[in-house]
Amino acid sequence: MLKNDPVALIREKALWMRRTAFTMVHRARAGHPGGDFSATDIMATLYFGVMKYDAKRPDWADRDRFIMSKGHATGALYSALAAAGYFPEDWLPTYMQPRSLLNGHPNRNYLPGIETNTGPLGHGFPVAVGIAIAGQLTGASYRTYVLTGDGEQQEGSNWEAAMLSGHRKLVNLTLIIDRNRLQQGTGTEETSGLDPLDEKYRAFGWEVVEVDGHDPAALLAVLGAAPGDKPRCVIANTVKGKGVSFMENVASWHHGVPNDDQYAQAMKELV
Amino acid sequence: MAHAAPVAAGMADCREAWVKTLIEVAEADPRVVCVVNDSVGSSKLNAFQKQFPDRLINVGIAEQLMVGVGAGLANGGKVPFVSAASCFLTSRSLEQVKADVAYANFNVKLVGQSSGIAYGELGATHHSIEDFAWLRPLTTITTIVPADPWETAEAVKWAAAHEGPVYLRLSRMPVPNLDVPDRKFQPGKAEVVRQGDDVTIIACGTTVHLAVQAADALKAEGIAARVLNFSTINPLDEAALHAAAATGAIVTVEEAGVRGGLGGAVSEFTAANTPVPVEKVGFPGFLPTGSTEWLFKEFGLSPEGIADAARRALARKKG
Ligand SMILES: Cc1ncc(C[n+]2csc(CCOP(=O)(O)OP(=O)(O)O)c2C)c(N)n1
Ligand SMILES: [Mg+2]
């Protein structure tokens, strides 16, 4: 039933991911739930509506690649990978526990489905460019999707990657910017403003699309569209902490950890 | 990020001493400014920002820019304290640290916050256990690792007054003030925290108080262990190392990798000058997932682990 309604499937998965991620953070007493929640709908759309992959064959050469450049959002990443079948759901409660494979930041040597290690911001995008160039050189059919934070865009390495991607016309590359307008301490525009982000990427040779990052139908249309003649930058307008009233747009939930009451309240709202 | 551990009675987060002293220094010297990378909160600089909004330059999440800007501010006559999580400050900006600060020899104070493995379960990308190895060859930078709140405050004051690059490696791990009578902060000089001639334990930063507990345990076995607070990693206190070698056995302890850090420096020096057994307590490389507290115990950064290392060093002692 759900399978025939891609939007309903994405919504269902996204709801499960948010509940799961918040449970992991509550249990571990650590994590980055604000950025998990802004990215959840984007990731649910990629894993359950857009990307071509086989969780049983994580090394399949022709798989589409997803790179979580904002590596702190492991609540979103691990819940997506478990939902996609890369590893058993019962690994999730080990999040950040001694010797767990679910480290606070993703490690490709620990878990299947992780293309590269991230955590320091501004690393995933350059690696994604390399993956896209490799695909171009071999004539492979896979596509590469990389998700960065918006604060993360302040790292210069992104702009080096953007310049080369435009220059090489990496049409198999899609950059998604989680535009929640908050970074760790405060707003992006109060810190080192990014706007107009669309014009910047256009000037670097990219096709730029803006989308509501919490609307699965809109995300499906944009992320699932056939490649054009330039690399594609999707500016996903999102809300940090999306889905839980007291977390939305509150900077301190970047790495906030819920107490038991907050956890219970969030579980009531995430239905 | 993972939250800092709760602070037990008698213990303190050295960041309090850091920011309190920095504000005092900034009140006295208008040249003092701060440069950060979206790290106002994690550097505990909110009070500084409130008092001196114009003197806190938040460059955004851009560490290479941050260190370059620090060098430029020094050129313009400022005394910049460039403060960020030490993992990003020293690894992301390493070339800026080398070329723009160390080689150009600018009066920049690099302040590494939450150094070592303070970010435990956030993993190797967020650990700063390679920084000694990376910065030790940059001989123009004075590297200081305060062991407690008192020494943190002294080091900040000294760094502000000193003309030249400094790396202050701070921690948010709760530590007690060391119990040493008549203390005087002397950069470049190791501080004797416990007297003893059977073996010398050379520790720095968050591990010094653990070394003291180890020495107390060894004393009950009749072993007199000297404990040095080796807070200046660069330049090395060579006289203290000669004296340590004279005890015939050395243990080094650091919240850092054993390759190229304090243990590496001590081994290099003693191997070349006064060969003596050196047992190194520290981290072997990238660490598994786990909290700071768990990783400390698992890798022997504990009174028991340090005492064991001392027993191993003694067993290897000649004569
Ligand atoms: C190189 C680097 N500098 C600093 C940090 C610390 N840090 C982790 S997340 C974060 C804020 C990220 O903001 P943004 O990219 O907007 O992510 P989101 O809002 O989606 O969580 C910062 C500063 C880091 N991980 N890497
Ligand atoms: Mg953001």
Side-chain angles (χ1 to χ4, degrees):
Chain A
M1 180 68 214
L2 279 176
K3 290 259 151 32
N4 301 325
D5 182 350
V7 169
L9 176 73
I10 291 165
R11 280 194 207 287
E12 187 201 89
K13 296 290 184 188
L15 179 64
W16 183 85
M17 284 170 57
R18 281 196 174 85
R19 292 180 63 90
T20 301
F22 209 54
T23 303
M24 287 160 60
V25 171
H26 178 241
R27 193 173 190 286
R29 311 225 44 73
H32 294 83
D36 286 337
F37 286 180
S38 61
T40 301
D41 300 303
I42 297 164
M43 300 196 44
T45 305
L46 286 171
Y47 279 93
F48 298 101
V50 173
M51 289 203 308
K52 167 187 84 182
Y53 62 93
D54 177 354
K56 298 286 158 276
R57 284 190 298 153
D59 292 336
W60 177 32
D62 239 359
R63 69 190 183 280
D64 286 345
R65 267 69 166 181
F66 172 74
I67 292 98
M68 181 60 120
S69 198
K70 42 173 274 186
H72 53 286
T74 37
L77 178 65
Y78 295 154
S79 59
L81 291 177
Y86 280 99
F87 54 83
E89 281 172 25
D90 61 14
W91 291 12
L92 294 168
T94 72
Y95 188 42
M96 297 201 228
Q97 300 307 306
R99 298 201 185 276
S100 174
L101 301 178
L102 281 70
N103 186 65
H105 292 88
N107 185 329
R108 66 187 285 268
N109 305 296
Y110 289 177
L111 290 174
I114 293 171
E115 301 291 349
T116 188
N117 294 20
T118 50
L121 297 164
H123 282 246
F125 187 4
V127 175
V129 169
I131 296 172
I133 293 173
Q136 208 180 39
L137 292 176
T138 55
S141 69
Y142 67 77
R143 297 180 69 179
T144 302
Y145 299 88
V146 54
L147 177 65
T148 75
D150 50 359
E152 181 177 6
Q153 289 285 322
Q154 291 160 350
E155 290 285 3
S157 54
N158 293 300
W159 298 95
E160 299 172 18
M163 196 180 308
L164 185 68
S165 309
H167 175 74
R168 295 188 73 109
K169 297 204 178 2
L170 297 177
V171 301
N172 53 358
L173 177 64
T174 301
L175 162 69
I176 308 157
I177 302 175
D178 184 345
R179 186 72 173 111
N180 58 30
R181 308 192 82 84
L182 287 176
Q183 46 195 90
Q184 181 168 283
T186 183
T188 58
E189 302 313 286
E190 286 93 75
T191 306
S192 184
L194 302 168
D195 285 333
L197 201 47
D198 53 343
E199 285 176 30
K200 290 191 172 94
Y201 271 91
R202 275 191 197 102
F204 276 65
W206 288 63
E207 173 194 327
V208 180
V209 196
E210 271 199 63
V211 66
D212 174 348
H214 299 302
D215 177 348
L219 284 166
L220 259 181
V222 168
L223 297 173
D229 56 2
K230 292 175 179 175
R232 184 173 292 144
C233 169
V234 176
I235 300 177
N237 293 311
T238 56
V239 174
K240 204 157 176 171
K242 173 75 179 180
V244 175
S245 55
F246 58 86
M247 292 171 64
E248 290 191 355
N249 285 317
V250 178
S252 60
W253 280 101
H254 172 73
H255 52 232
V257 171
N259 61 30
D260 292 347
D261 290 343
Q262 290 167 324
Y263 175 69
Q265 175 65 27
M267 288 298 124
K268 262 188 226 157
E269 295 185 22
L270 293 169
V271 286
Chain B
M1 303 238 170
H3 283 242
V7 179
M11 308 281 269
D13 175 342
C14 292
R15 291 179 303 178
E16 307 291 351
W18 136 253
V19 66
K20 184 169 171 285
T21 313
L22 187 73
I23 288 173
E24 287 164 15
V25 157
E27 282 168 345
D29 184 348
R31 298 173 307 156
V32 169
V33 296
C34 249
V35 192
V36 297
N37 65 332
D38 192 15
S39 51
V40 178
S42 50
S43 291
K44 282 262 192 246
L45 284 168
N46 305 76
F48 181 96
Q49 185 178 38
K50 209 161 165 224
Q51 190 168 339
F52 307 105
D54 299 340
R55 288 160 70 181
L56 183 119
I57 297 130
N58 185 353
V59 302
I61 309 170
E63 294 73 21
Q64 294 168 274
L65 173 68
M66 173 180 70
V67 174
V69 165
L73 285 162
N75 172 298
K78 298 295 179 189
V79 179
F81 280 74
V82 176
S83 174
S86 65
C87 53
F88 309 126
L89 174 68
T90 59
S91 56
R92 186 53 156 275
S93 330
L94 184 55
E95 189 166 281
Q96 278 76 12
V97 169
K98 172 186 166 184
D100 309 344
V101 176
Y103 186 43
N105 203 17
F106 271 119
N107 189 25
V108 173
K109 318 303 166 184
L110 303 166
V111 186
Q113 302 284 349
S114 300
S115 61
I117 59 157
Y119 289 132
E121 53 277 89
L122 297 189
T125 56
H126 284 56
H127 296 164
S128 182
I129 61 176
E130 305 87 358
D131 50 347
F132 290 153
W134 288 335
L135 269 65
R136 269 186 50 222
L138 308 178
T139 52
T140 56
I141 299 183
T142 304
T143 292
I144 298 178
V145 195
D148 64 6
W150 176 84
E151 197 174 26
T152 302
E154 292 297 311
V156 171
K157 279 185 247 171
W158 177 83
H162 172 74
E163 178 71 31
V166 176
Y167 175 44
L168 293 181
R169 191 201 205 233
L170 305 186
S171 181
R172 63 175 193 178
M173 292 270 298
V175 288
N177 261 321
L178 296 176
D179 160 31
V180 185
D182 306 319
R183 290 177 89 180
K184 189 164 174 295
F185 179 69
Q186 287 177 291
K189 278 251 162 296
E191 180 182 46
V192 180
V193 186
R194 284 285 186 280
Q195 300 284 0
D197 290 329
D198 293 333
V199 54
T200 304
I201 307 177
I202 301 178
C204 67
T206 54
T207 66
V208 179
H209 76 280
L210 303 174
V212 169
Q213 292 175 50
D216 291 346
L218 290 165
K219 198 174 191 175
E221 296 169 26
I223 300 167
R226 181 180 308 166
V227 177
L228 298 182
N229 169 17
F230 215 87
S231 51
T232 305
I233 302 291
N234 194 35
L236 280 183
D237 181 347
E238 299 189 353
L241 292 182
H242 277 297
T247 65
I250 292 178
V251 175
T252 60
V253 195
E254 59 200 306
E255 189 187 344
V258 290
R259 298 185 185 207
L262 173 63
V266 170
S267 301
E268 240 173 55
F269 181 83
T270 54
N273 298 288
T274 49
V276 61
V278 177
E279 288 288 330
K280 292 184 244 167
V281 178
F283 301 117
F286 296 134
L287 300 178
T289 306
S291 68
T292 308
E293 294 71 23
W294 181 80
L295 289 167
F296 261 68
K297 292 207 177 79
E298 189 72 7
F299 289 91
L301 281 77
S302 61
E304 301 73 34
I306 297 167
D308 280 346
R311 291 182 199 106
R312 287 198 302 276
L314 279 165
R316 293 171 56 200
K317 187 170 166 176
K318 293 198 187 74

